[in-house]
């Protein structure tokens, strides 16, 4: 939505968190975490390029609004508890 | 509270417009974890100039100044001077540039800032070509790589010139600290950035930054490829602390083919060509060991 | 305090009196003595500033941009090849709305290599969004630097300014200059405090990527800034006059134009010579005047429009040439008066390139030519003055 010249700063100054970009829409495959197998090693969190994984008591929660489905988490997981599944499939 | 091996706090928001599996996202993320909130980052034209998103989107939880392509070295000098004159001392000034913006168009300003001993950290995230414009060769593209301006199948073929040794260039500037870092080794990465932060003067960080579209790799392999680069000694992890070389990770010494075979940009290479690449890597590794043992 | 000094020292004193906080500069003939003097001021502690000895003019401007974004008042100086090397970042400074002030010692472009007075470098930057002031005396150089900060730092303007002194003619010629008291300058020019600056604790990105759906609004705002500058130049000069007792003529400095049959329009140091010529010709009964283009950006369109009905001819002297067109000042003057009911004849004289002397005799001949041309129209709209091999003799 174009803002009026009166509503904007003199030069573009970005002050809105990039969480405004729902990059999860790019995704064709998504990570699914098997909580039974998860050893809470935090490696998936560490290697997520998009900071889309948060840790809750050591367990990874993938924010699917931002996960682009790169699959690094699944590849790096030492206990192989993350699998990538096609969007729309279970 | 979960114990993590690198700082928990994030200084980058999700929603960057970097490609899936982008190494440069990890480089920024680890760097800011190590530096914290009292940091100002300046970014020239490069992938990261667009990755924060279209105005008014911003990925970073620290102030960010966009600058002209070749101007990073000058911009960090200007920022530092302004902070000094205003009496602000506890802020880390960072120049965060790609390889083309560093070893090619930005080399002059980088050299100037290093020679002036500007108190700042310059981080070059190295995806080994002009990736933001669509995979054109840079001075940091390695020998043998395909890019759109070193197309395979023509009389000249792939890139026939070797990668500029930016670490040696920086060492020649007698800066107090320089280090190579890899997104596959975040603990080593964070430690080196913390050290750079503590060191006064000009610091240089060379970060390998795997690029799935440019290297023609599976996005899920970005960290693995960064790991292979270290283990095959294509990208050794070391630091130059007050002129002294110290290798921080020896790597497994895997054959280079293990690193090359997972990347589309090297698929055209013949066995003799791979052997000659292996020889270059071996020679460089021996040189690095010699530098370490001789204390230079 | 009255001192005898060159135009370059006048620039350095101007920047010092304006309390520039960050100075980033690279040496180039004939600008060097400006930065040498400033480096001295900084190292002696007379000026509390950071001096960055950068490795190129591009870096000089880039460093000023970054420092100014962080809230410091910045200054630099350059010339010719150095100014044109800055071209990219000149646009950056104005797009980022940073009121940086810079002296350009206007000098010819190579090749042929030439270090003397010529306006090609300055004129080539007319589209960069900088205010451009041409000076005719060392006093004006010093005063305009101080005024420029005040004009540009106004929230409605927030654009950079270039103070132009002619190579050697001003830069290396000594004149008596009144150097005002620091306290007086401080009362005129408050410290720089922009509404928005880059600072820790405020995670904002300055200069981000903007899509086509929003780009024009930002450019429109810059246009408004330049429009505001027009008013601001006049107002600030009145304030300056009130405190310091001097003025320099706003955007268009008129000399004996009120009843002039023909007027010469010119910029820079040649205007000082032209004033003498006007006096001499008037003594002989010829009604001539001088309209000195002081601000080239913003251009004094309105001022030329109000001159249009009062004179028969305007001789526009350009110390540069836009190949494939004409002198840039000529094009501007002509376009200014196009919509006027009564339009004088306008002719372009290209003179003084690469430091070639523009003598009183030449100026007199231009006036004489214009007096004739204003009656019967110009055969050639653009005439190169004093070029060997051309039929007309000027000396």
């Amino acid at each position: 939505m174009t803002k009026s010249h009166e509503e904007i700063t003199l030069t573009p100054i970005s002050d809105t968190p990039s969480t405004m970009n729902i990059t999860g829409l790019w995704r064709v495959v998504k990570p699914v975490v098997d909580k039974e197998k998860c050893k809470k090693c935090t490696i998936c969190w560490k290697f997520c390029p998009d900071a889309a994984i948060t840790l809750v008591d050591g367990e990874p929660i993938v924010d699917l609004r931002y996960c682009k489905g790169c699959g690094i988490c699944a590849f790096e997981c030492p206990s192989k508890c993350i699998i990538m599944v096609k969007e729309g499939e279970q | 509270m979960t114990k993590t091996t690198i700082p928990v706090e994030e200084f980058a928001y999700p929603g960057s417009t970097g490609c899936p599996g982008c190494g440069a996202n990890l480089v920024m993320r680890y760097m800011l974890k190590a530096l914290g909130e009292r940091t100002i980052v300046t970014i020239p034209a490069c992938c990261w100039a667009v990755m924060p998103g279209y105005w008014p989107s911003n990925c970073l939880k620290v102030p960010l100044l966009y600058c002209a392509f070749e101007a990073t070295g000058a911009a960090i000098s200007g920022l530092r001077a302004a902070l000094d004159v205003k009496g602000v001392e506890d802020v880390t000034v960072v120049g965060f540039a790609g390889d083309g913006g560093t070893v090619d168009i930005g080399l002059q300003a980088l050299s100037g800032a290093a020679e002036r001993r500007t108190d700042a950290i310059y981080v070059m995230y190295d995806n080994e070509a002009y990736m933001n414009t669509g995979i054109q060769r840079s001075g940091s593209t390695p020998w043998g790589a395909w890019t759109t301006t070193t197309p395979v199948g023509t009389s000249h073929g792939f890139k026939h010139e070797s990668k500029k040794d930016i670490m040696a260039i920086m060492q020649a500037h007698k800066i107090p600290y320089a280090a190579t870092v890899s997104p596959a080794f975040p603990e080593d990465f964070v430690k080196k950035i913390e050290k750079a932060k503590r060191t006064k003067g000009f610091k240089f960080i060379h970060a390998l930054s795997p690029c799935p579209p440019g290297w023609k790799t599976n996005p899920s392999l970005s960290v693995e490829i960064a790991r292979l680069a270290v283990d095959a000694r294509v990208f050794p992890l070391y630091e130059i602390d007050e002129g002294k070389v110290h290798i921080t990770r020896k790597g497994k010494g895997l054959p280079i083919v293990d690193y090359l075979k997972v990347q589309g940009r090297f698929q055209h290479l013949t066995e003799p060509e791979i052997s000659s690449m292996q020889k270059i890597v071996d020679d460089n590794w021996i040189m690095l060991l010699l530098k370490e043992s001789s204390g230079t | 305090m009255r001192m005898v000094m060159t135009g370059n020292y006048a620039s350095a004193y101007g920047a010092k009196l304006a309390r520039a906080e960050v100075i980033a500069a690279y040496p180039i003939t004939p600008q060097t003595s400006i930065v040498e003097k400033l480096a001295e001021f900084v190292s002696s502690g007379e000026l509390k500033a950071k001096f960055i000895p950068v490795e190129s003019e591009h870096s000089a401007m880039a460093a000023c941009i970054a420092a100014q974004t962080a809230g410091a008042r910045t200054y630099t100086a350059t010339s010719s090849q150095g100014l044109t090397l800055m071209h990219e970042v000149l646009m950056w400074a104005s797009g980022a709305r940073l009121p940086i002030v810079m002296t350009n010692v206007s000098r010819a472009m190579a090749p042929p290599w030439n270090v003397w007075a010529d306006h090609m470098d300055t004129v080539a930057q007319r589209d960069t969004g900088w205010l451009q002031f041409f000076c005719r005396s060392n006093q004006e150089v010093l005063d305009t630097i101080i005024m420029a900060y005040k004009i540009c730092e106004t929230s409605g303007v927030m654009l950079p300014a270039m103070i132009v002194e002619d190579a050697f003619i001003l830069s290396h010629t000594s004149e008596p200059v009144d150097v005002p008291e620091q306290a007086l300058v401080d009362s005129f020019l408050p410290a720089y405090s922009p509404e928005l600056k880059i600072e820790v604790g405020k995670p904002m990105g300055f200069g981000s990527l903007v899509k086509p759906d929003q780009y024009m609004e930002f450019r429109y705002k810059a246009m408004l800034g330049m429009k505001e500058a027009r008013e601001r130049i006049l107002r600030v000069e009145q304030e300056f006059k009130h405190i310091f007792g001097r003025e320099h003529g706003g955007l268009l400095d008129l000399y004996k134009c009120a009843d002039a049959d023909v007027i010469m329009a010119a910029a820079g140091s040649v205007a000082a010579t032209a004033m003498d010529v006007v006096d001499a010709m008037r003594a002989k009964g010829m009604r001539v005047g001088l309209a000195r283009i002081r601000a080239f950006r913003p251009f004094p369109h309105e001022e030329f429009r109000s001159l249009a009905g009062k004179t028969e001819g305007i001789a526009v002297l350009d110390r540069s040439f836009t190949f494939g067109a004409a002198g840039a000042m000529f094009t501007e003057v002509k376009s200014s008066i196009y919509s006027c009911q009564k339009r004088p004849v306008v002719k372009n004289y290209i003179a003084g390139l690469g430091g070639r002397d523009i003598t009183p005799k030449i100026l007199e001949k231009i006036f004489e030519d214009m007096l004739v041309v204003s009656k019967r129209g110009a055969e050639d709209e653009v005439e190169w003055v004093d070029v060997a091999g051309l039929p007309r003799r000027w000396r």
Side-chain angles (χ1 to χ4, degrees):
Chain A
M1 184 62 186
T2 303
K3 285 192 172 171
S4 150
H5 71 89
E6 287 170 331
E7 294 172 62
I8 56 177
T9 47
L10 290 176
T11 189
I13 294 174
S14 287
D15 55 2
T16 309
S18 55
T19 44
M20 67 185 276
N21 311 317
I22 307 302
T23 49
L25 294 171
W26 305 1
R27 195 177 55 239
V28 287
V29 287
K30 68 174 176 190
V32 175
V33 184
D34 182 344
K35 290 186 178 178
E36 301 289 302
K37 287 207 280 183
C38 174
K39 301 220 167 67
K40 302 184 179 182
C41 69
T42 76
I43 282 175
C44 57
W45 164 82
K46 195 164 67 174
F47 288 124
C48 176
D50 291 288
I53 298 177
T54 46
L55 297 171
V56 177
D57 295 329
E59 221 166 68
I61 308 293
V62 181
D63 192 335
L64 290 174
R65 287 173 303 169
Y66 306 110
C67 167
K68 295 168 188 162
C70 71
I72 289 178
C73 55
F75 185 87
E76 296 293 330
C77 175
S79 47
K80 299 288 159 215
C81 74
I82 305 176
I83 52 162
M84 301 302 290
V85 298
K86 276 192 182 157
E87 277 296 329
E89 288 177 17
Q90 278 306 305
Chain B
M1 193 66 191
T2 314
K3 242 182 110 65
T4 54
T5 52
I6 55 170
V8 175
E9 198 175 347
E10 299 290 350
F11 293 92
Y13 291 104
S16 106
T17 57
C19 304
C22 174
N25 250 337
L26 281 172
V27 173
M28 178 65 89
R29 191 173 158 237
Y30 298 151
M31 181 192 80
L32 290 180
K33 277 178 180 290
L35 294 178
E37 191 192 17
R38 297 193 70 76
T39 304
I40 296 177
V41 178
T42 184
I43 298 179
C46 61
C47 289
W48 252 107
V50 296
M51 283 161 65
Y54 290 113
W55 174 86
S57 162
N58 185 7
C59 276
L60 310 187
K61 298 183 188 179
V62 299
L64 159 62
L65 172 65
Y66 296 93
C67 71
F69 205 173
E70 63 280 58
T72 315
I76 55 179
S77 299
L79 281 173
R80 175 52 72 195
L83 293 172
D84 283 351
V85 84
K86 298 285 182 192
V88 183
E89 282 170 1
D90 62 338
V91 171
T92 308
V93 172
V94 177
F96 194 88
D99 49 291
T102 302
V103 310
D104 293 342
I105 196 168
L107 188 59
Q108 175 178 309
L110 166 64
S111 173
E115 186 263 343
R116 289 188 300 271
R117 296 191 278 176
T118 301
D119 187 17
I121 304 175
Y122 190 112
V123 178
M124 160 173 130
Y125 66 97
D126 186 4
N127 49 32
E128 301 193 319
Y130 291 91
M131 295 313 189
N132 194 37
T133 44
I135 327 169
Q136 294 81 26
R137 62 93 84 186
S138 79
S140 198
T141 302
W143 187 96
W146 163 92
T147 68
T148 58
T149 49
T150 51
V152 178
T154 62
S155 58
H156 194 62
F158 49 80
K159 191 188 177 198
H160 281 264
E161 300 81 28
S162 23
K163 184 182 173 82
K164 279 190 204 175
D165 187 349
I166 190 67
M167 285 293 282
I169 294 170
M170 293 324 293
Q171 189 178 16
H173 282 73
K174 315 262 184 256
I175 59 173
Y177 188 72
T180 61
V181 295
S182 163
F185 300 95
E187 295 79 10
D188 174 83
F189 192 128
V190 166
K191 224 163 101 182
K192 284 170 175 167
I193 300 281
E194 284 170 346
K195 195 164 178 179
K197 185 185 174 180
R198 286 194 304 271
T199 308
K200 188 121 180 92
F202 191 86
K203 289 82 61 176
F204 185 82
I205 303 290
H206 180 183
L208 189 69
S209 183
C211 171
W215 294 9
K216 302 206 169 298
T217 55
N218 186 318
S220 67
L221 297 181
S222 289
V223 170
E224 173 66 3
I225 289 165
R227 191 178 290 122
L228 287 168
V230 174
D231 279 337
R233 293 169 179 159
V234 175
F235 191 85
L237 291 181
Y238 63 105
E239 55 187 9
I240 308 172
D241 194 350
E242 296 296 348
K244 303 252 183 301
V245 172
H246 170 58
I247 300 169
T248 56
R249 190 173 189 95
K250 299 259 179 201
K252 292 176 183 160
L254 299 177
I256 193 172
V257 68
D258 288 4
Y259 172 68
L260 303 179
K261 69 183 179 196
V262 287
Q263 302 180 54
R265 62 175 174 157
F266 293 117
Q267 287 311 298
H268 52 275
L269 293 176
T270 60
E271 258 177 52
E273 283 161 356
I274 291 172
S275 300
S276 63
M277 273 182 101
Q278 182 70 58
K279 177 146 176 23
I280 295 169
V281 167
D282 292 346
D283 289 350
N284 286 345
W285 177 248
I286 289 164
M287 272 308 285
L288 191 64
L289 289 172
L290 279 172
K291 278 185 181 177
E292 186 180 43
S293 60
S294 67
T296 56
Chain C
M1 186 174 43
R2 217 162 160 75
M3 291 168 73
V4 173
M5 65 171 74
T6 61
N8 277 359
Y9 275 21
S11 268
Y13 274 95
K16 173 175 171 274
L17 287 166
R19 294 190 189 276
E21 295 170 293
V22 173
I23 296 154
Y26 186 77
I28 182 168
T29 301
Q31 152 267 34
T32 41
S33 53
I34 302 177
V35 284
E36 286 168 353
K37 192 71 190 164
L38 283 166
E40 261 176 56
F41 285 148
V42 173
S43 77
S44 70
E46 273 182 85
L47 176 59
K48 191 189 160 289
K50 285 279 161 189
F51 183 83
I52 315 175
V54 282
E55 76 302 323
S56 81
E57 287 89 353
H58 192 282
S59 284
M61 187 46 59
C64 285
I65 287 167
Q68 192 93 24
T69 313
R73 183 177 281 160
T74 68
Y75 173 82
T76 187
T78 189
S79 179
S80 180
Q81 313 289 131
L83 182 71
T84 49
L85 179 62
M86 277 183 191
H87 183 70
E88 178 199 21
V89 265
L90 292 181
M91 297 238 186
W92 199 291
S94 64
R97 306 301 297 272
L98 299 169
I100 298 165
V101 173
M102 163 168 72
T103 297
N104 181 51
V105 185
S106 215
R107 170 193 137 177
M109 293 300 303
W113 272 119
N114 177 295
V115 297
W116 293 277
D118 186 298
H119 294 159
M120 193 67 243
D121 55 350
T122 309
V123 163
Q125 308 309 320
R126 66 182 167 174
D127 300 333
T128 55
W130 282 61
L131 280 70
Q132 293 181 312
F133 295 98
F134 281 91
C135 297
R136 81 169 159 80
S137 71
N138 297 351
Q139 184 72 61
E140 188 182 353
V141 168
L142 185 147
D143 293 349
T144 309
I145 287 175
I146 296 167
M147 279 190 266
Y149 280 109
K150 187 158 172 135
I151 294 161
C152 295
E153 290 173 5
T154 315
S155 61
V157 179
M158 292 299 277
L159 287 168
M162 196 182 293
I163 314 304
V164 184
E165 32 163 295
D166 285 344
F168 296 104
I169 301 170
L170 289 191
S171 72
H172 286 64
T173 304
S174 293
E175 289 179 345
V177 172
D178 179 65
V179 180
E181 291 299 319
Q182 184 68 60
L184 221 50
V185 176
D186 291 345
S187 72
F188 171 76
L189 178 65
Y192 178 53
S193 65
E195 284 167 22
L196 284 168
K197 62 175 180 178
I198 196 159
E199 59 188 320
V200 154
K202 291 185 183 165
M204 298 186 283
F206 284 71
S208 356
L209 183 67
V210 165
K211 281 189 278 195
D213 68 356
Q214 194 70 67
Y215 184 84
M216 275 185 84
E217 286 69 24
F218 284 107
R219 302 314 273 183
Y220 184 80
K221 281 181 98 75
M223 182 278 289
L224 291 179
M226 197 53 106
K227 213 168 173 177
E228 172 75 19
R230 191 183 294 277
E231 306 306 317
R232 195 70 192 155
I233 290 166
L234 301 174
R235 219 167 336 133
V236 166
E237 189 160 35
Q238 286 317 302
E239 283 177 51
F240 187 90
K241 186 187 173 189
H242 183 70
I243 295 179
F244 301 95
R246 289 187 293 275
E247 63 184 323
H248 297 285
L251 286 88
L252 189 66
D253 181 18
L254 300 179
Y255 186 67
K256 301 190 178 172
C257 287
D259 63 341
D261 293 327
V262 300
I263 287 170
M264 178 180 289
S269 57
V270 73
T273 320
M275 285 165 80
D276 288 345
V277 173
V278 165
D279 290 343
M281 292 185 75
R282 280 193 173 255
K284 286 192 261 176
M286 284 171 277
R287 289 191 301 184
V288 296
L290 173 74
R292 181 170 71 93
I293 299 168
R294 181 161 178 263
F296 182 50
R297 285 290 180 272
F299 195 81
H301 288 115
E302 288 300 316
E303 288 78 355
F304 272 107
R305 284 171 58 80
S306 44
L307 274 184
K310 300 176 193 156
T311 190
E312 299 302 318
I314 303 177
V316 186
L317 189 69
D318 267 289
R319 205 164 195 150
S320 69
F321 190 71
T322 301
F323 296 98
M329 308 236 174
F330 169 70
T331 321
E332 295 280 356
V333 171
K334 238 173 78 170
S335 80
S336 298
I337 61 170
Y338 180 77
S339 56
C340 294
Q341 286 267 306
K342 180 177 174 294
R343 287 192 296 262
V345 174
V346 186
K347 184 176 167 181
N348 194 192
Y349 298 85
I350 307 298
L353 306 193
R356 171 91 40 110
D357 263 354
I358 307 176
T359 60
K361 176 100 178 157
I362 287 175
L363 294 175
E364 203 180 315
K365 284 199 166 190
I366 290 173
F367 272 124
E368 284 167 0
D369 185 57
M370 199 61 220
L371 282 163
V372 176
V373 164
S374 65
K375 299 252 174 350
R376 59 160 166 80
E379 283 159 29
D380 295 311
E381 266 200 324
V382 184
E383 183 166 359
W384 283 59
V385 170
D386 194 24
V387 175
L390 293 183
R392 195 202 290 258
R393 302 177 72 84
W394 291 89
R395 285 175 188 270

